[in-house]
Amino acid sequence: MKKKLYKLISLLLVVSMFFTACNKKESNEETKGEELGERPRLEDDFYEYVNYDWLKNNEIPADKASIGYMEQIQENIDANLKEELDKLLKVENIEDPIKNEMIKLYKMLLDFDNIDKLGTKPLEPYLKDIEKIQTIEDLNNSLIDWQNGLNIQNTILEFSIDTNTKDVTKKSIYLGFASSMLPDKSLYEKDNEQGEQILELYKEAMSKVLTKFGLNEKDAERKVENMLAVDRRIAESELTAEEYSDDEKSYNLVSKEDLESKYKSSLDLVRIMKETMPVESDSIEVTDINMLSNLDKIFDPEKLEETKDWLYVSTIISKKQLLPNDIRGIMIEFENTISGTVPKENEREEAVFKIINDTFGFALGEIYVENNFSQKAKEDVEEMTKNIIEKYKERLKNNEWLSEETKAGALKKLDSMAIKIGYPEKLPEYYSLYKIDENKDIIENMALLGKVDKEYSIAKFDEPVDRSEWEMKPQELNAYYSPSSNDINFPAGILQAPFYSLEQTVSENYGGIGVVIGHEMSHAFDTNGSLYDEIGNMRNWWTEKDYEEFQKKADKVIESFDGLDYMGEKINGKLTVSENIADLSGIAVSLEVAKTEKDFNAKEYFENYANIWAGKTRPELIKIQLATDEHSPNKARVNNQVVNFDEFFETYNIKKGDKMWREKEDRLSVW
């Protein structure tokens, strides 16, 4: 279980993965440019006015679920890196040992003929191990054996290691659980037509897949029905997206004694922890306490066959990209059907690139940085970041609703905040331990790499946390704040137009990357980040009165977004409050800094802020995005934020009666 990061954008907005079809939706006007109609008045719809030409001239490709500046830039980055990988394929002797192992894996993944020839054989022994389970004791023994082995079977639960939430100088054991295959539990609710359609398509597709593993149609259908029965119980028990977005609700310290008594189940958690995680710890951290409390309801010991079938089917799904193309093709067709897309011409090659990027991404990042990132750009953004931090400090000092005691804590947190721009100074140590065995199949090789990761984390358990590590690779177009290390991170991938460019004006850059910097900085003081101190410990550093005042301001942000109509659905203000506070405060501080620059141009500032969020997605996807994504839709991130700033009204002469008008007393401010 990894610590949560507070990102500029959700991965749901960047990639279309399994079931992302349930995650976004836009109106037809924004999906097809020719249906936009006339350009609206700026005074009525700032987002659409600024991005009108882009929205009109860019259609969603048939093989994609969405399109936007972000997707377009990331796609170009990935295409360039794939070219670099292909160049390395032709090099006979690669001197860099890590890149050599990377290319060995790349060659193996690209050997489609061999993967197709092997068929289901590489996975069959692991599926047979699942079928051998006859008792709960067998299940407990198997979970231990699998996790101590190659961990190829998908698992019900797993212990892992990460930073201790309340003492970041140490590490904790975390207990994580299987999650529902559907992105939101509402899809299982009675009369949910979207959910019913997806489940029927899923049953049909997965039954076909199971026949490829030698099952007859009747047994295949039974296994899928059993798998879905368990998945439904998982969905009913796991945290909602709104609950998970609340760090206080997702922090639960559980003692060994409570595991054996209060949370006792047919799954022998203490034994599994002891035998799969050989480190000393009297307690564990659990994100989803609901799952822990309902293990015997979900994985009912009286319904062992259902649990086995869940393990069987989910194991196959988890290895989708490593299976022969006739099996992959069934699952890809299913995804295309529910997302309204067509198969990508080079879909299999793109899947291979993603595996390499996920596995050796920081090594790929070295190549990206060397070819695409300048020291001058890094220094310029570092200077912008320092300017924004100084302005943030000034705003805190002048804050009229905080006590001096809480101000001191906030300023200390800003002073302690680490800034990471561009790329890490070194590759992860465990990369040097990765070895590809060309005599083994691709499924086993990938599992061996996972085993290296686990053994490395165990070996480092008693060592200090390495705060220099990055969670994002340099080539990612994103940014994040990490509350457990109190650092803001801006990978090289995001430092390009329209977010940032040495060719853009200072005003444009502050309206782009400047807002992003302020946004990530503000996560340190949003409804979640405010729970952590200057070194990253979850610790209250507020006076009671100050926190009450902060909550009042947060409530106003919730009210501002909650229930906003977006393409026939409603925005959830509570789910999105942290991100909305970060957007609001990011604009506030970056705008104030930008105004101190010579030749400041407010139009360039506001219009580039609108530009960075230009995008459109397919209509099928909005309902579940609004139920699961902590970020508001792009249009709301623009139109419902800029109306909080007097400068916006002054610059564009917005008047009462215009749709973009907001009364002065209703304009929001938090930081």
Side-chain angles (χ1 to χ4, degrees):
M1 177 64 65
K2 277 288 185 185
K3 287 285 188 180
K4 282 191 278 187
L5 305 175
Y6 297 93
K7 303 176 183 178
L8 177 69
I9 49 173
S10 165
L11 290 179
L12 296 178
L13 308 183
V14 183
V15 293
S16 177
M17 298 175 69
F18 202 66
F19 285 111
T20 46
C22 304
N23 293 331
K24 288 192 83 179
K25 172 183 173 186
E26 293 267 353
S27 70
N28 288 334
E29 301 97 81
E30 290 193 13
T31 304
K32 293 184 179 180
E34 64 270 21
E35 296 182 10
L36 275 171
E38 296 298 318
R39 186 193 296 265
R41 295 171 67 242
L42 178 150
E43 297 90 335
D44 293 332
D45 188 337
F46 183 65
Y47 170 86
E48 192 168 302
Y49 175 87
V50 172
N51 292 314
Y52 184 82
D53 290 338
W54 188 96
L55 293 168
K56 194 169 183 66
N57 296 327
N58 287 271
E59 292 201 24
I60 304 171
D63 61 357
K64 294 187 182 301
S66 63
I67 187 175
Y69 272 128
M70 291 182 168
E71 289 91 342
Q72 289 171 331
I73 296 170
Q74 189 67 65
E75 191 173 284
N76 288 336
I77 291 172
D78 293 348
N80 290 336
L81 284 175
K82 187 179 180 304
E83 287 181 10
E84 295 298 326
L85 280 172
D86 291 340
K87 288 178 187 176
L88 285 173
L89 279 176
K90 300 172 184 176
V91 178
E92 288 189 13
N93 296 304
I94 299 174
E95 294 183 5
D96 184 330
I98 291 172
K99 290 187 177 66
N100 187 50
E101 296 301 316
M102 177 176 73
I103 293 303
K104 283 164 67 175
L105 179 63
Y106 189 45
K107 286 179 181 177
M108 187 173 286
L109 286 163
L110 285 174
D111 191 352
F112 299 146
D113 289 342
N114 185 53
I115 292 172
D116 292 346
K117 181 181 176 182
L118 288 172
T120 62
K121 288 180 183 177
L123 198 54
E124 285 173 4
Y126 305 99
L127 297 175
K128 286 178 181 176
D129 284 346
I130 295 171
E131 297 285 39
K132 289 176 185 176
I133 295 171
Q134 299 299 316
T135 66
I136 291 298
E137 185 178 0
D138 289 345
L139 177 60
N140 279 302
N141 290 337
S142 294
L143 292 175
I144 292 168
D145 291 343
W146 297 342
Q147 291 182 41
N148 284 336
L150 292 178
N151 212 12
I152 286 174
Q153 291 89 344
N154 210 33
T155 190
I156 292 169
L157 56 88
E158 189 167 16
F159 292 94
S160 61
I161 293 170
D162 209 331
T163 307
N164 184 301
T165 299
K166 294 203 171 182
D167 184 357
V168 295
T169 64
K170 299 177 182 177
K171 294 169 187 171
S172 283
I173 297 177
Y174 283 72
L175 173 58
F177 303 97
S179 59
S180 170
M181 67 169 186
L182 296 180
D184 185 67
K185 62 175 63 183
S186 67
L187 289 166
Y188 273 118
E189 291 175 359
K190 190 177 180 180
D191 300 326
N192 187 314
E193 292 183 13
Q194 187 182 27
E196 289 174 4
Q197 290 170 1
I198 291 173
L199 289 170
E200 283 305 312
L201 288 167
Y202 178 82
K203 290 176 190 177
E204 182 182 340
M206 285 311 301
S207 295
K208 285 182 185 177
V209 167
L210 294 193
T211 62
K212 297 287 186 179
F213 282 83
L215 277 71
N216 61 46
E217 287 186 15
K218 185 177 179 181
D219 286 343
E221 289 172 2
R222 175 185 54 79
K223 276 192 183 294
V224 175
E225 288 286 356
N226 282 346
M227 184 270 187
L228 289 173
V230 176
D231 196 73
R232 182 184 294 272
R233 296 197 292 270
I234 292 173
E236 290 170 349
S237 298
E238 65 186 353
L239 291 175
T240 65
E242 187 177 314
E243 288 169 334
Y244 183 73
S245 71
D246 185 333
D247 282 18
E248 285 189 301
K249 289 182 180 177
S250 57
Y251 170 75
N252 303 280
L253 192 66
V254 178
S255 67
K256 280 185 181 179
E257 290 75 15
D258 280 346
L259 281 182
E260 292 179 301
S261 54
K262 183 178 179 180
Y263 299 107
K264 186 176 178 61
S265 71
S266 59
L267 297 172
D268 193 343
L269 298 180
V270 173
R271 180 183 164 220
I272 295 171
M273 179 176 72
K274 182 179 179 182
E275 296 191 29
T276 64
M277 196 56 60
V279 296
E280 289 299 319
S281 181
D282 295 327
S283 59
I284 61 170
E285 294 192 36
V286 181
T287 299
D288 196 332
I289 204 70
N290 294 350
M291 288 288 291
L292 181 60
S293 301
N294 289 286
L295 282 177
D296 271 350
K297 174 187 173 184
I298 302 164
F299 302 103
D300 189 338
E302 300 299 318
K303 298 177 180 178
L304 184 58
E305 204 62 29
E306 289 184 357
T307 297
K308 287 170 58 178
D309 290 342
W310 181 88
L311 288 164
Y312 192 102
V313 177
S314 62
T315 293
I316 293 172
I317 293 170
S318 71
K319 301 297 179 286
K320 177 187 74 172
Q321 298 297 1
L322 308 178
L323 293 172
N325 212 36
D326 60 335
I327 295 174
R328 289 180 71 261
I330 296 169
M331 291 189 265
I332 297 299
E333 183 182 2
F334 160 69
E335 293 172 21
N336 291 143
T337 300
I338 63 172
S339 63
T341 59
V342 301
K344 296 180 180 180
E345 187 176 340
N346 59 341
E347 180 275 329
R348 202 171 187 184
E349 287 79 4
E350 283 193 14
V352 167
F353 173 80
K354 185 179 185 307
I355 293 171
I356 293 295
N357 200 25
D358 288 345
T359 310
F360 282 98
F362 286 102
L364 267 183
E366 285 189 330
I367 298 172
Y368 176 77
V369 168
E370 184 179 343
N371 294 343
N372 299 279
F373 192 57
S374 73
Q375 186 63 26
K376 185 177 180 182
K378 181 175 182 178
E379 290 171 358
D380 191 36
V381 175
E382 284 174 342
E383 186 63 28
M384 289 178 69
T385 306
K386 289 175 184 175
N387 293 341
I388 292 171
I389 284 181
E390 288 306 311
K391 184 58 68 175
Y392 222 116
K393 289 180 184 177
E394 183 183 317
R395 291 172 68 87
L396 281 170
K397 289 173 183 175
N398 295 331
N399 183 293
E400 296 180 352
W401 56 272
L402 282 180
S403 68
E404 292 303 315
E405 180 183 347
T406 305
K407 280 185 186 181
L411 289 166
K412 190 174 184 181
K413 192 168 186 180
L414 267 182
D415 282 332
S416 303
M417 187 178 287
I419 302 164
K420 298 177 181 177
I421 295 174
Y423 52 89
E425 296 298 325
K426 60 182 181 180
L427 292 179
E429 285 184 10
Y430 53 83
Y431 272 23
S432 64
L433 304 175
Y434 283 176
K435 304 297 175 189
I436 305 304
D437 188 338
E438 292 162 310
N439 295 315
K440 299 184 186 297
D441 61 65
I442 188 61
I443 287 177
E444 191 169 348
N445 266 290
M446 291 301 298
L448 285 167
L449 297 180
K451 188 174 176 64
V452 166
D453 292 344
K454 179 181 176 181
E455 290 174 349
Y456 179 83
S457 70
I458 290 172
K460 295 288 185 179
F461 183 78
D462 291 319
E463 295 187 14
V465 174
D466 186 352
R467 297 169 77 90
S468 70
E469 290 181 349
W470 282 55
E471 298 290 343
M472 275 184 189
K473 303 165 187 76
Q475 61 272 29
E476 290 189 57
L477 198 154
N478 211 331
Y480 71 94
Y481 170 73
S482 172
S484 63
S485 50
N486 190 30
D487 58 30
I488 49 177
N489 303 257
F490 309 100
I494 199 172
L495 301 180
Q496 55 187 300
F499 289 91
Y500 170 82
S501 172
L502 290 168
E503 305 302 317
Q504 289 183 171
T505 68
V506 172
S507 298
E508 288 172 324
N509 282 338
Y510 271 108
I513 197 65
V515 174
V516 175
I517 294 166
H519 171 106
E520 298 307 335
M521 207 172 286
S522 297
H523 272 311
F525 307 104
D526 67 18
T527 49
N528 283 319
S530 59
L531 304 174
Y532 300 83
D533 67 16
E534 73 278 1
I535 63 170
N537 291 326
M538 184 182 271
R539 178 183 68 82
N540 182 24
W541 46 274
W542 295 69
T543 67
E544 186 176 344
K545 182 182 177 184
D546 286 347
Y547 201 79
E548 286 176 0
E549 285 299 312
F550 168 67
Q551 195 58 58
K552 288 177 185 177
K553 289 181 174 292
D555 287 343
K556 287 184 179 180
V557 176
I558 291 172
E559 291 169 14
S560 173
F561 281 85
D562 198 48
L564 271 185
D565 184 81
Y566 185 71
M567 309 308 164
E569 304 292 343
K570 303 295 183 184
I571 295 175
N572 182 336
K574 288 184 179 178
L575 174 64
T576 57
V577 61
S578 286
E579 294 297 333
N580 292 334
I581 289 174
D583 279 343
L584 173 64
S585 305
I587 297 171
V589 68
S590 68
L591 177 59
E592 194 167 344
V593 175
K595 286 165 64 177
T596 67
E597 294 285 345
K598 188 174 72 172
D599 300 326
F600 168 68
N601 186 308
K603 285 187 176 182
E604 290 176 353
Y605 175 92
F606 284 114
E607 288 169 26
N608 199 42
Y609 177 68
N611 275 334
I612 66 175
W613 296 116
K616 56 172 78 169
T617 63
R618 297 189 181 278
E620 301 89 346
L621 313 180
I622 187 63
K623 187 172 184 178
I624 302 305
Q625 183 216 341
L626 292 181
T628 60
D629 193 349
E630 296 174 17
H631 302 80
S632 293
N634 288 7
K635 189 170 184 175
R637 294 183 80 165
V638 176
N639 283 358
N640 206 40
Q641 292 286 12
V642 295
V643 291
N644 292 305
F645 298 93
D646 296 346
E647 293 88 345
F648 174 73
F649 296 94
E650 294 162 4
T651 300
Y652 296 104
N653 197 28
I654 310 289
K655 296 183 175 66
K656 194 167 185 175
D658 296 330
K659 291 181 181 178
M660 290 297 299
W661 174 258
R662 177 170 288 179
E663 297 291 348
K664 198 172 181 70
E665 61 270 22
D666 294 329
R667 297 172 195 174
L668 303 179
S669 174
V670 178
W671 298 112

